[in-house]
PDB file of all heavy atoms in Angstrom:
ATOM      1  N   GLY A 652      -7.394  -4.265  -9.256  1.00 90.00           N
ATOM      2  CA  GLY A 652      -7.808  -5.493  -8.587  1.00 90.00           C
ATOM      3  C   GLY A 652      -9.198  -5.963  -8.978  1.00 90.00           C
ATOM      4  O   GLY A 652      -9.371  -7.081  -9.462  1.00 90.00           O
ATOM      5  N   PRO A 653     -10.225  -5.119  -8.796  1.00 89.00           N
ATOM      6  CA  PRO A 653     -11.569  -5.560  -9.182  1.00 89.00           C
ATOM      7  C   PRO A 653     -11.734  -5.776 -10.683  1.00 89.00           C
ATOM      8  O   PRO A 653     -12.443  -6.679 -11.107  1.00 89.00           O
ATOM      9  CB  PRO A 653     -12.475  -4.420  -8.699  1.00 89.00           C
ATOM     10  CG  PRO A 653     -11.701  -3.716  -7.666  1.00 89.00           C
ATOM     11  CD  PRO A 653     -10.268  -3.883  -8.025  1.00 89.00           C
ATOM     12  N   VAL A 654     -11.063  -4.943 -11.487  1.00 89.00           N
ATOM     13  CA  VAL A 654     -11.198  -5.091 -12.938  1.00 89.00           C
ATOM     14  C   VAL A 654     -10.612  -6.424 -13.389  1.00 89.00           C
ATOM     15  O   VAL A 654     -11.241  -7.181 -14.144  1.00 89.00           O
ATOM     16  CB  VAL A 654     -10.524  -3.909 -13.664  1.00 89.00           C
ATOM     17  CG1 VAL A 654     -10.469  -4.155 -15.163  1.00 89.00           C
ATOM     18  CG2 VAL A 654     -11.262  -2.613 -13.370  1.00 89.00           C
ATOM     19  N   LEU A 655      -9.414  -6.732 -12.932  1.00 90.00           N
ATOM     20  CA  LEU A 655      -8.797  -8.007 -13.304  1.00 90.00           C
ATOM     21  C   LEU A 655      -9.538  -9.178 -12.663  1.00 90.00           C
ATOM     22  O   LEU A 655      -9.614 -10.255 -13.253  1.00 90.00           O
ATOM     23  CB  LEU A 655      -7.325  -8.027 -12.908  1.00 90.00           C
ATOM     24  CG  LEU A 655      -6.434  -7.063 -13.699  1.00 90.00           C
ATOM     25  CD1 LEU A 655      -5.025  -7.072 -13.135  1.00 90.00           C
ATOM     26  CD2 LEU A 655      -6.429  -7.414 -15.171  1.00 90.00           C
ATOM     27  N   GLY A 656     -10.062  -8.970 -11.462  1.00 88.00           N
ATOM     28  CA  GLY A 656     -10.832 -10.026 -10.816  1.00 88.00           C
ATOM     29  C   GLY A 656     -12.103 -10.353 -11.564  1.00 88.00           C
ATOM     30  O   GLY A 656     -12.481 -11.520 -11.683  1.00 88.00           O
ATOM     31  N   LEU A 657     -12.773  -9.327 -12.084  1.00 86.00           N
ATOM     32  CA  LEU A 657     -13.983  -9.571 -12.882  1.00 86.00           C
ATOM     33  C   LEU A 657     -13.643 -10.292 -14.182  1.00 86.00           C
ATOM     34  O   LEU A 657     -14.392 -11.144 -14.643  1.00 86.00           O
ATOM     35  CB  LEU A 657     -14.690  -8.253 -13.192  1.00 86.00           C
ATOM     36  CG  LEU A 657     -15.453  -7.623 -12.040  1.00 86.00           C
ATOM     37  CD1 LEU A 657     -15.928  -6.233 -12.420  1.00 86.00           C
ATOM     38  CD2 LEU A 657     -16.629  -8.491 -11.632  1.00 86.00           C
ATOM     39  N   ALA A 658     -12.487  -9.943 -14.769  1.00 86.00           N
ATOM     40  CA  ALA A 658     -12.085 -10.587 -16.005  1.00 86.00           C
ATOM     41  C   ALA A 658     -11.680 -12.043 -15.772  1.00 86.00           C
ATOM     42  O   ALA A 658     -11.905 -12.896 -16.629  1.00 86.00           O
ATOM     43  CB  ALA A 658     -10.931  -9.818 -16.647  1.00 86.00           C
ATOM     44  N   ALA A 659     -11.098 -12.333 -14.619  1.00 86.00           N
ATOM     45  CA  ALA A 659     -10.620 -13.692 -14.340  1.00 86.00           C
ATOM     46  C   ALA A 659     -11.751 -14.641 -13.958  1.00 86.00           C
ATOM     47  O   ALA A 659     -11.642 -15.843 -14.162  1.00 86.00           O
ATOM     48  CB  ALA A 659      -9.581 -13.660 -13.234  1.00 86.00           C
ATOM     49  N   GLY A 660     -12.788 -14.131 -13.382  1.00 83.00           N
ATOM     50  CA  GLY A 660     -13.899 -14.996 -12.989  1.00 83.00           C
ATOM     51  C   GLY A 660     -14.083 -15.039 -11.489  1.00 83.00           C
ATOM     52  O   GLY A 660     -13.333 -14.447 -10.723  1.00 83.00           O
ATOM     53  N   ASP A 661     -15.083 -15.804 -11.078  1.00 81.00           N
ATOM     54  CA  ASP A 661     -15.508 -15.812  -9.686  1.00 81.00           C
ATOM     55  C   ASP A 661     -14.466 -16.330  -8.698  1.00 81.00           C
ATOM     56  O   ASP A 661     -14.249 -15.697  -7.683  1.00 81.00           O
ATOM     57  CB  ASP A 661     -16.809 -16.593  -9.559  1.00 81.00           C
ATOM     58  CG  ASP A 661     -17.482 -16.350  -8.225  1.00 81.00           C
ATOM     59  OD1 ASP A 661     -17.316 -15.247  -7.685  1.00 81.00           O
ATOM     60  OD2 ASP A 661     -18.163 -17.260  -7.733  1.00 81.00           O
ATOM     61  N   PRO A 662     -13.784 -17.453  -8.922  1.00 84.00           N
ATOM     62  CA  PRO A 662     -12.872 -17.931  -7.879  1.00 84.00           C
ATOM     63  C   PRO A 662     -11.665 -17.010  -7.639  1.00 84.00           C
ATOM     64  O   PRO A 662     -11.179 -16.904  -6.526  1.00 84.00           O
ATOM     65  CB  PRO A 662     -12.394 -19.291  -8.393  1.00 84.00           C
ATOM     66  CG  PRO A 662     -13.278 -19.650  -9.518  1.00 84.00           C
ATOM     67  CD  PRO A 662     -13.896 -18.405 -10.018  1.00 84.00           C
ATOM     68  N   ALA A 663     -11.204 -16.345  -8.684  1.00 86.00           N
ATOM     69  CA  ALA A 663     -10.002 -15.522  -8.547  1.00 86.00           C
ATOM     70  C   ALA A 663     -10.305 -14.085  -8.160  1.00 86.00           C
ATOM     71  O   ALA A 663      -9.379 -13.314  -7.895  1.00 86.00           O
ATOM     72  CB  ALA A 663      -9.220 -15.540  -9.853  1.00 86.00           C
ATOM     73  N   PHE A 664     -11.571 -13.705  -8.107  1.00 88.00           N
ATOM     74  CA  PHE A 664     -11.922 -12.306  -7.836  1.00 88.00           C
ATOM     75  C   PHE A 664     -11.357 -11.827  -6.505  1.00 88.00           C
ATOM     76  O   PHE A 664     -10.726 -10.775  -6.424  1.00 88.00           O
ATOM     77  CB  PHE A 664     -13.443 -12.135  -7.865  1.00 88.00           C
ATOM     78  CG  PHE A 664     -13.887 -10.728  -7.572  1.00 88.00           C
ATOM     79  CD1 PHE A 664     -13.780  -9.754  -8.540  1.00 88.00           C
ATOM     80  CD2 PHE A 664     -14.405 -10.395  -6.325  1.00 88.00           C
ATOM     81  CE1 PHE A 664     -14.179  -8.456  -8.281  1.00 88.00           C
ATOM     82  CE2 PHE A 664     -14.805  -9.106  -6.059  1.00 88.00           C
ATOM     83  CZ  PHE A 664     -14.696  -8.134  -7.041  1.00 88.00           C
ATOM     84  N   THR A 665     -11.577 -12.599  -5.457  1.00 89.00           N
ATOM     85  CA  THR A 665     -11.120 -12.206  -4.126  1.00 89.00           C
ATOM     86  C   THR A 665      -9.601 -12.128  -4.056  1.00 89.00           C
ATOM     87  O   THR A 665      -9.056 -11.233  -3.417  1.00 89.00           O
ATOM     88  CB  THR A 665     -11.638 -13.209  -3.078  1.00 89.00           C
ATOM     89  OG1 THR A 665     -13.045 -13.318  -3.208  1.00 89.00           O
ATOM     90  CG2 THR A 665     -11.303 -12.765  -1.681  1.00 89.00           C
ATOM     91  N   ILE A 666      -8.924 -13.032  -4.732  1.00 91.00           N
ATOM     92  CA  ILE A 666      -7.460 -13.028  -4.722  1.00 91.00           C
ATOM     93  C   ILE A 666      -6.938 -11.760  -5.374  1.00 91.00           C
ATOM     94  O   ILE A 666      -6.020 -11.107  -4.856  1.00 91.00           O
ATOM     95  CB  ILE A 666      -6.912 -14.288  -5.417  1.00 91.00           C
ATOM     96  CG1 ILE A 666      -7.304 -15.526  -4.613  1.00 91.00           C
ATOM     97  CG2 ILE A 666      -5.408 -14.210  -5.595  1.00 91.00           C
ATOM     98  CD1 ILE A 666      -7.040 -16.832  -5.319  1.00 91.00           C
ATOM     99  N   PHE A 667      -7.517 -11.384  -6.510  1.00 91.00           N
ATOM    100  CA  PHE A 667      -7.081 -10.171  -7.192  1.00 91.00           C
ATOM    101  C   PHE A 667      -7.363  -8.924  -6.364  1.00 91.00           C
ATOM    102  O   PHE A 667      -6.515  -8.037  -6.255  1.00 91.00           O
ATOM    103  CB  PHE A 667      -7.749 -10.053  -8.566  1.00 91.00           C
ATOM    104  CG  PHE A 667      -7.034 -10.795  -9.645  1.00 91.00           C
ATOM    105  CD1 PHE A 667      -7.546 -11.990 -10.126  1.00 91.00           C
ATOM    106  CD2 PHE A 667      -5.855 -10.320 -10.173  1.00 91.00           C
ATOM    107  CE1 PHE A 667      -6.904 -12.685 -11.121  1.00 91.00           C
ATOM    108  CE2 PHE A 667      -5.187 -11.007 -11.171  1.00 91.00           C
ATOM    109  CZ  PHE A 667      -5.703 -12.191 -11.651  1.00 91.00           C
ATOM    110  N   VAL A 668      -8.548  -8.834  -5.790  1.00 91.00           N
ATOM    111  CA  VAL A 668      -8.911  -7.649  -5.013  1.00 91.00           C
ATOM    112  C   VAL A 668      -8.014  -7.514  -3.787  1.00 91.00           C
ATOM    113  O   VAL A 668      -7.480  -6.436  -3.506  1.00 91.00           O
ATOM    114  CB  VAL A 668     -10.402  -7.690  -4.614  1.00 91.00           C
ATOM    115  CG1 VAL A 668     -10.727  -6.592  -3.629  1.00 91.00           C
ATOM    116  CG2 VAL A 668     -11.277  -7.569  -5.845  1.00 91.00           C
ATOM    117  N   ARG A 669      -7.818  -8.596  -3.069  1.00 93.00           N
ATOM    118  CA  ARG A 669      -6.970  -8.534  -1.871  1.00 93.00           C
ATOM    119  C   ARG A 669      -5.509  -8.300  -2.225  1.00 93.00           C
ATOM    120  O   ARG A 669      -4.820  -7.525  -1.562  1.00 93.00           O
ATOM    121  CB  ARG A 669      -7.102  -9.820  -1.064  1.00 93.00           C
ATOM    122  CG  ARG A 669      -8.423  -9.934  -0.365  1.00 93.00           C
ATOM    123  CD  ARG A 669      -8.500 -11.204   0.442  1.00 93.00           C
ATOM    124  NE  ARG A 669      -9.814 -11.335   1.056  1.00 93.00           N
ATOM    125  CZ  ARG A 669     -10.194 -12.380   1.741  1.00 93.00           C
ATOM    126  NH1 ARG A 669      -9.378 -13.401   1.894  1.00 93.00           N
ATOM    127  NH2 ARG A 669     -11.395 -12.429   2.261  1.00 93.00           N
ATOM    128  N   GLY A 670      -5.033  -8.965  -3.258  1.00 94.00           N
ATOM    129  CA  GLY A 670      -3.636  -8.817  -3.652  1.00 94.00           C
ATOM    130  C   GLY A 670      -3.300  -7.403  -4.091  1.00 94.00           C
ATOM    131  O   GLY A 670      -2.323  -6.810  -3.623  1.00 94.00           O
ATOM    132  N   PHE A 671      -4.113  -6.855  -4.972  1.00 94.00           N
ATOM    133  CA  PHE A 671      -3.851  -5.492  -5.436  1.00 94.00           C
ATOM    134  C   PHE A 671      -4.141  -4.466  -4.342  1.00 94.00           C
ATOM    135  O   PHE A 671      -3.521  -3.415  -4.300  1.00 94.00           O
ATOM    136  CB  PHE A 671      -4.655  -5.198  -6.701  1.00 94.00           C
ATOM    137  CG  PHE A 671      -4.015  -5.734  -7.942  1.00 94.00           C
ATOM    138  CD1 PHE A 671      -4.362  -6.979  -8.430  1.00 94.00           C
ATOM    139  CD2 PHE A 671      -3.046  -5.010  -8.612  1.00 94.00           C
ATOM    140  CE1 PHE A 671      -3.780  -7.489  -9.572  1.00 94.00           C
ATOM    141  CE2 PHE A 671      -2.449  -5.499  -9.752  1.00 94.00           C
ATOM    142  CZ  PHE A 671      -2.811  -6.740 -10.237  1.00 94.00           C
ATOM    143  N   GLY A 672      -5.084  -4.776  -3.445  1.00 94.00           N
ATOM    144  CA  GLY A 672      -5.329  -3.886  -2.307  1.00 94.00           C
ATOM    145  C   GLY A 672      -4.139  -3.827  -1.365  1.00 94.00           C
ATOM    146  O   GLY A 672      -3.763  -2.756  -0.887  1.00 94.00           O
ATOM    147  N   LEU A 673      -3.534  -4.982  -1.100  1.00 96.00           N
ATOM    148  CA  LEU A 673      -2.335  -5.002  -0.245  1.00 96.00           C
ATOM    149  C   LEU A 673      -1.149  -4.325  -0.928  1.00 96.00           C
ATOM    150  O   LEU A 673      -0.351  -3.653  -0.270  1.00 96.00           O
ATOM    151  CB  LEU A 673      -1.986  -6.437   0.138  1.00 96.00           C
ATOM    152  CG  LEU A 673      -2.917  -7.081   1.160  1.00 96.00           C
ATOM    153  CD1 LEU A 673      -2.557  -8.550   1.349  1.00 96.00           C
ATOM    154  CD2 LEU A 673      -2.843  -6.342   2.478  1.00 96.00           C
ATOM    155  N   LEU A 674      -1.040  -4.497  -2.240  1.00 96.00           N
ATOM    156  CA  LEU A 674       0.007  -3.799  -2.987  1.00 96.00           C
ATOM    157  C   LEU A 674      -0.180  -2.292  -2.875  1.00 96.00           C
ATOM    158  O   LEU A 674       0.780  -1.554  -2.607  1.00 96.00           O
ATOM    159  CB  LEU A 674      -0.009  -4.238  -4.448  1.00 96.00           C
ATOM    160  CG  LEU A 674       0.961  -3.519  -5.378  1.00 96.00           C
ATOM    161  CD1 LEU A 674       2.395  -3.875  -5.011  1.00 96.00           C
ATOM    162  CD2 LEU A 674       0.669  -3.873  -6.820  1.00 96.00           C
ATOM    163  N   ALA A 675      -1.409  -1.819  -3.053  1.00 96.00           N
ATOM    164  CA  ALA A 675      -1.691  -0.389  -2.936  1.00 96.00           C
ATOM    165  C   ALA A 675      -1.412   0.110  -1.518  1.00 96.00           C
ATOM    166  O   ALA A 675      -0.859   1.192  -1.337  1.00 96.00           O
ATOM    167  CB  ALA A 675      -3.137  -0.105  -3.322  1.00 96.00           C
ATOM    168  N   LEU A 676      -1.766  -0.680  -0.515  1.00 96.00           N
ATOM    169  CA  LEU A 676      -1.494  -0.288   0.872  1.00 96.00           C
ATOM    170  C   LEU A 676       0.001  -0.164   1.125  1.00 96.00           C
ATOM    171  O   LEU A 676       0.455   0.781   1.773  1.00 96.00           O
ATOM    172  CB  LEU A 676      -2.122  -1.293   1.841  1.00 96.00           C
ATOM    173  CG  LEU A 676      -1.906  -1.008   3.324  1.00 96.00           C
ATOM    174  CD1 LEU A 676      -2.557   0.307   3.719  1.00 96.00           C
ATOM    175  CD2 LEU A 676      -2.449  -2.140   4.158  1.00 96.00           C
ATOM    176  N   GLY A 677       0.776  -1.099   0.616  1.00 96.00           N
ATOM    177  CA  GLY A 677       2.235  -1.016   0.770  1.00 96.00           C
ATOM    178  C   GLY A 677       2.817   0.220   0.112  1.00 96.00           C
ATOM    179  O   GLY A 677       3.700   0.886   0.672  1.00 96.00           O
ATOM    180  N   ILE A 678       2.328   0.549  -1.081  1.00 96.00           N
ATOM    181  CA  ILE A 678       2.808   1.742  -1.777  1.00 96.00           C
ATOM    182  C   ILE A 678       2.441   2.995  -0.995  1.00 96.00           C
ATOM    183  O   ILE A 678       3.269   3.901  -0.815  1.00 96.00           O
ATOM    184  CB  ILE A 678       2.233   1.787  -3.207  1.00 96.00           C
ATOM    185  CG1 ILE A 678       2.795   0.648  -4.051  1.00 96.00           C
ATOM    186  CG2 ILE A 678       2.519   3.121  -3.871  1.00 96.00           C
ATOM    187  CD1 ILE A 678       2.105   0.455  -5.376  1.00 96.00           C
ATOM    188  N   VAL A 679       1.208   3.053  -0.505  1.00 96.00           N
ATOM    189  CA  VAL A 679       0.768   4.229   0.259  1.00 96.00           C
ATOM    190  C   VAL A 679       1.574   4.373   1.542  1.00 96.00           C
ATOM    191  O   VAL A 679       1.991   5.478   1.904  1.00 96.00           O
ATOM    192  CB  VAL A 679      -0.748   4.152   0.543  1.00 96.00           C
ATOM    193  CG1 VAL A 679      -1.170   5.150   1.601  1.00 96.00           C
ATOM    194  CG2 VAL A 679      -1.523   4.393  -0.734  1.00 96.00           C
ATOM    195  N   LEU A 680       1.805   3.285   2.241  1.00 96.00           N
ATOM    196  CA  LEU A 680       2.607   3.364   3.474  1.00 96.00           C
ATOM    197  C   LEU A 680       4.021   3.862   3.180  1.00 96.00           C
ATOM    198  O   LEU A 680       4.545   4.719   3.892  1.00 96.00           O
ATOM    199  CB  LEU A 680       2.660   2.000   4.162  1.00 96.00           C
ATOM    200  CG  LEU A 680       1.414   1.584   4.914  1.00 96.00           C
ATOM    201  CD1 LEU A 680       1.514   0.117   5.342  1.00 96.00           C
ATOM    202  CD2 LEU A 680       1.187   2.472   6.119  1.00 96.00           C
ATOM    203  N   LYS A 681       4.624   3.336   2.131  1.00 95.00           N
ATOM    204  CA  LYS A 681       5.989   3.736   1.780  1.00 95.00           C
ATOM    205  C   LYS A 681       6.069   5.239   1.521  1.00 95.00           C
ATOM    206  O   LYS A 681       6.928   5.933   2.067  1.00 95.00           O
ATOM    207  CB  LYS A 681       6.458   2.973   0.550  1.00 95.00           C
ATOM    208  CG  LYS A 681       7.833   3.393   0.059  1.00 95.00           C
ATOM    209  CD  LYS A 681       8.160   2.740  -1.258  1.00 95.00           C
ATOM    210  CE  LYS A 681       9.550   2.994  -1.739  1.00 95.00           C
ATOM    211  NZ  LYS A 681       9.898   4.359  -1.954  1.00 95.00           N
ATOM    212  N   TYR A 682       5.153   5.736   0.704  1.00 96.00           N
ATOM    213  CA  TYR A 682       5.233   7.139   0.333  1.00 96.00           C
ATOM    214  C   TYR A 682       4.689   8.071   1.409  1.00 96.00           C
ATOM    215  O   TYR A 682       5.107   9.224   1.492  1.00 96.00           O
ATOM    216  CB  TYR A 682       4.547   7.378  -1.010  1.00 96.00           C
ATOM    217  CG  TYR A 682       5.405   6.870  -2.143  1.00 96.00           C
ATOM    218  CD1 TYR A 682       5.077   5.719  -2.836  1.00 96.00           C
ATOM    219  CD2 TYR A 682       6.580   7.528  -2.494  1.00 96.00           C
ATOM    220  CE1 TYR A 682       5.881   5.241  -3.851  1.00 96.00           C
ATOM    221  CE2 TYR A 682       7.392   7.058  -3.500  1.00 96.00           C
ATOM    222  CZ  TYR A 682       7.038   5.915  -4.179  1.00 96.00           C
ATOM    223  OH  TYR A 682       7.843   5.445  -5.177  1.00 96.00           O
ATOM    224  N   THR A 683       3.794   7.613   2.263  1.00 96.00           N
ATOM    225  CA  THR A 683       3.333   8.464   3.359  1.00 96.00           C
ATOM    226  C   THR A 683       4.418   8.611   4.422  1.00 96.00           C
ATOM    227  O   THR A 683       4.622   9.696   4.962  1.00 96.00           O
ATOM    228  CB  THR A 683       2.042   7.912   3.980  1.00 96.00           C
ATOM    229  OG1 THR A 683       1.075   7.758   2.950  1.00 96.00           O
ATOM    230  CG2 THR A 683       1.500   8.842   5.029  1.00 96.00           C
ATOM    231  N   PHE A 684       5.146   7.526   4.705  1.00 94.00           N
ATOM    232  CA  PHE A 684       6.254   7.653   5.649  1.00 94.00           C
ATOM    233  C   PHE A 684       7.364   8.508   5.054  1.00 94.00           C
ATOM    234  O   PHE A 684       8.035   9.258   5.771  1.00 94.00           O
ATOM    235  CB  PHE A 684       6.777   6.274   6.055  1.00 94.00           C
ATOM    236  CG  PHE A 684       6.024   5.676   7.211  1.00 94.00           C
ATOM    237  CD1 PHE A 684       4.864   4.958   7.016  1.00 94.00           C
ATOM    238  CD2 PHE A 684       6.477   5.856   8.509  1.00 94.00           C
ATOM    239  CE1 PHE A 684       4.163   4.422   8.078  1.00 94.00           C
ATOM    240  CE2 PHE A 684       5.785   5.335   9.585  1.00 94.00           C
ATOM    241  CZ  PHE A 684       4.620   4.610   9.372  1.00 94.00           C
ATOM    242  N   ALA A 685       7.566   8.445   3.729  1.00 94.00           N
ATOM    243  CA  ALA A 685       8.552   9.314   3.083  1.00 94.00           C
ATOM    244  C   ALA A 685       8.110  10.773   3.156  1.00 94.00           C
ATOM    245  O   ALA A 685       8.931  11.671   3.391  1.00 94.00           O
ATOM    246  CB  ALA A 685       8.754   8.890   1.635  1.00 94.00           C
ATOM    247  N   LEU A 686       6.811  11.016   2.967  1.00 94.00           N
ATOM    248  CA  LEU A 686       6.291  12.376   3.084  1.00 94.00           C
ATOM    249  C   LEU A 686       6.433  12.887   4.517  1.00 94.00           C
ATOM    250  O   LEU A 686       6.780  14.046   4.743  1.00 94.00           O
ATOM    251  CB  LEU A 686       4.833  12.417   2.646  1.00 94.00           C
ATOM    252  CG  LEU A 686       4.140  13.771   2.684  1.00 94.00           C
ATOM    253  CD1 LEU A 686       4.789  14.726   1.701  1.00 94.00           C
ATOM    254  CD2 LEU A 686       2.663  13.611   2.374  1.00 94.00           C
ATOM    255  N   GLY A 687       6.183  12.013   5.481  1.00 94.00           N
ATOM    256  CA  GLY A 687       6.369  12.395   6.873  1.00 94.00           C
ATOM    257  C   GLY A 687       7.819  12.748   7.181  1.00 94.00           C
ATOM    258  O   GLY A 687       8.098  13.722   7.877  1.00 94.00           O
ATOM    259  N   ARG A 688       8.754  11.961   6.649  1.00 92.00           N
ATOM    260  CA  ARG A 688      10.174  12.258   6.827  1.00 92.00           C
ATOM    261  C   ARG A 688      10.530  13.589   6.178  1.00 92.00           C
ATOM    262  O   ARG A 688      11.275  14.388   6.738  1.00 92.00           O
ATOM    263  CB  ARG A 688      11.015  11.134   6.218  1.00 92.00           C
ATOM    264  CG  ARG A 688      12.468  11.216   6.547  1.00 92.00           C
ATOM    265  CD  ARG A 688      13.290  10.041   6.035  1.00 92.00           C
ATOM    266  NE  ARG A 688      12.520   8.819   5.833  1.00 92.00           N
ATOM    267  CZ  ARG A 688      12.435   8.185   4.664  1.00 92.00           C
ATOM    268  NH1 ARG A 688      13.046   8.638   3.601  1.00 92.00           N
ATOM    269  NH2 ARG A 688      11.731   7.076   4.565  1.00 92.00           N
ATOM    270  N   LEU A 689       9.960  13.857   5.019  1.00 93.00           N
ATOM    271  CA  LEU A 689      10.224  15.098   4.296  1.00 93.00           C
ATOM    272  C   LEU A 689       9.690  16.308   5.051  1.00 93.00           C
ATOM    273  O   LEU A 689      10.303  17.376   5.038  1.00 93.00           O
ATOM    274  CB  LEU A 689       9.588  15.013   2.902  1.00 93.00           C
ATOM    275  CG  LEU A 689       9.904  16.098   1.898  1.00 93.00           C
ATOM    276  CD1 LEU A 689      11.379  16.037   1.523  1.00 93.00           C
ATOM    277  CD2 LEU A 689       9.052  15.924   0.669  1.00 93.00           C
ATOM    278  N   ARG A 690       8.561  16.128   5.741  1.00 93.00           N
ATOM    279  CA  ARG A 690       7.945  17.238   6.469  1.00 93.00           C
ATOM    280  C   ARG A 690       8.398  17.341   7.923  1.00 93.00           C
ATOM    281  O   ARG A 690       7.883  18.144   8.690  1.00 93.00           O
ATOM    282  CB  ARG A 690       6.432  17.118   6.410  1.00 93.00           C
ATOM    283  CG  ARG A 690       5.958  17.141   4.962  1.00 93.00           C
ATOM    284  CD  ARG A 690       4.564  17.521   4.720  1.00 93.00           C
ATOM    285  NE  ARG A 690       3.932  18.433   5.616  1.00 93.00           N
ATOM    286  CZ  ARG A 690       3.761  19.733   5.377  1.00 93.00           C
ATOM    287  NH1 ARG A 690       4.234  20.262   4.280  1.00 93.00           N
ATOM    288  NH2 ARG A 690       3.108  20.478   6.236  1.00 93.00           N
ATOM    289  N   GLY A 691       9.357  16.510   8.320  1.00 91.00           N
ATOM    290  CA  GLY A 691       9.914  16.607   9.664  1.00 91.00           C
ATOM    291  C   GLY A 691       9.311  15.660  10.678  1.00 91.00           C
ATOM    292  O   GLY A 691       9.531  15.823  11.882  1.00 91.00           O
ATOM    293  N   PHE A 692       8.532  14.683  10.235  1.00 92.00           N
ATOM    294  CA  PHE A 692       7.917  13.714  11.135  1.00 92.00           C
ATOM    295  C   PHE A 692       8.497  12.329  10.876  1.00 92.00           C
ATOM    296  O   PHE A 692       7.778  11.382  10.566  1.00 92.00           O
ATOM    297  CB  PHE A 692       6.397  13.687  10.948  1.00 92.00           C
ATOM    298  CG  PHE A 692       5.742  15.009  11.185  1.00 92.00           C
ATOM    299  CD1 PHE A 692       5.099  15.669  10.149  1.00 92.00           C
ATOM    300  CD2 PHE A 692       5.773  15.598  12.429  1.00 92.00           C
ATOM    301  CE1 PHE A 692       4.489  16.889  10.353  1.00 92.00           C
ATOM    302  CE2 PHE A 692       5.168  16.817  12.644  1.00 92.00           C
ATOM    303  CZ  PHE A 692       4.525  17.466  11.604  1.00 92.00           C
ATOM    304  N   ALA A 693       9.789  12.204  10.994  1.00 90.00           N
ATOM    305  CA  ALA A 693      10.463  10.936  10.720  1.00 90.00           C
ATOM    306  C   ALA A 693      10.053   9.886  11.748  1.00 90.00           C
ATOM    307  O   ALA A 693       9.858  10.180  12.930  1.00 90.00           O
ATOM    308  CB  ALA A 693      11.972  11.120  10.747  1.00 90.00           C
ATOM    309  N   ALA A 694       9.923   8.643  11.289  1.00 90.00           N
ATOM    310  CA  ALA A 694       9.510   7.562  12.172  1.00 90.00           C
ATOM    311  C   ALA A 694      10.624   7.160  13.132  1.00 90.00           C
ATOM    312  O   ALA A 694      10.361   6.599  14.190  1.00 90.00           O
ATOM    313  CB  ALA A 694       9.075   6.355  11.352  1.00 90.00           C
ATOM    314  N   HIS A 695      11.858   7.456  12.771  1.00 89.00           N
ATOM    315  CA  HIS A 695      13.002   7.156  13.641  1.00 89.00           C
ATOM    316  C   HIS A 695      13.700   8.445  14.022  1.00 89.00           C
ATOM    317  O   HIS A 695      13.873   9.343  13.196  1.00 89.00           O
ATOM    318  CB  HIS A 695      14.002   6.240  12.924  1.00 89.00           C
ATOM    319  CG  HIS A 695      13.476   4.861  12.703  1.00 89.00           C
ATOM    320  ND1 HIS A 695      13.440   3.926  13.700  1.00 89.00           N
ATOM    321  CD2 HIS A 695      12.945   4.264  11.610  1.00 89.00           C
ATOM    322  CE1 HIS A 695      12.923   2.807  13.225  1.00 89.00           C
ATOM    323  NE2 HIS A 695      12.605   2.991  11.951  1.00 89.00           N
ATOM    324  N   ARG A 696      14.091   8.525  15.284  1.00 89.00           N
ATOM    325  CA  ARG A 696      14.830   9.686  15.752  1.00 89.00           C
ATOM    326  C   ARG A 696      16.284   9.581  15.315  1.00 89.00           C
ATOM    327  O   ARG A 696      16.702   8.589  14.714  1.00 89.00           O
ATOM    328  CB  ARG A 696      14.747   9.777  17.282  1.00 89.00           C
ATOM    329  CG  ARG A 696      13.346  10.076  17.782  1.00 89.00           C
ATOM    330  CD  ARG A 696      13.369  10.446  19.252  1.00 89.00           C
ATOM    331  NE  ARG A 696      13.756   9.305  20.069  1.00 89.00           N
ATOM    332  CZ  ARG A 696      12.940   8.638  20.869  1.00 89.00           C
ATOM    333  NH1 ARG A 696      11.691   8.995  20.947  1.00 89.00           N
ATOM    334  NH2 ARG A 696      13.358   7.625  21.580  1.00 89.00           N
ATOM    335  N   ALA A 697      17.050  10.604  15.592  1.00 88.00           N
ATOM    336  CA  ALA A 697      18.460  10.642  15.182  1.00 88.00           C
ATOM    337  C   ALA A 697      19.271   9.539  15.847  1.00 88.00           C
ATOM    338  O   ALA A 697      20.237   9.034  15.261  1.00 88.00           O
ATOM    339  CB  ALA A 697      19.068  12.004  15.526  1.00 88.00           C
ATOM    340  N   ASP A 698      18.872   9.115  17.051  1.00 92.00           N
ATOM    341  CA  ASP A 698      19.601   8.046  17.737  1.00 92.00           C
ATOM    342  C   ASP A 698      19.174   6.652  17.284  1.00 92.00           C
ATOM    343  O   ASP A 698      19.688   5.649  17.771  1.00 92.00           O
ATOM    344  CB  ASP A 698      19.448   8.177  19.251  1.00 92.00           C
ATOM    345  CG  ASP A 698      18.011   8.080  19.726  1.00 92.00           C
ATOM    346  OD1 ASP A 698      17.105   8.044  18.871  1.00 92.00           O
ATOM    347  OD2 ASP A 698      17.786   8.045  20.946  1.00 92.00           O
ATOM    348  N   GLY A 699      18.223   6.581  16.344  1.00 87.00           N
ATOM    349  CA  GLY A 699      17.789   5.302  15.802  1.00 87.00           C
ATOM    350  C   GLY A 699      16.571   4.711  16.484  1.00 87.00           C
ATOM    351  O   GLY A 699      16.056   3.684  16.052  1.00 87.00           O
TER     352      GLY A 699
END
């Protein structure tokens, strides 16, 4: 995000940083909830 934002220039910097930051957050949430499910801390119980 910051690397591409610096390359794109001043107006697009914030868009790149926020966009790639949200992408990274989504990836982390997906895999952390998967890790929790793998370790027995599933977000949903057996009854749903």
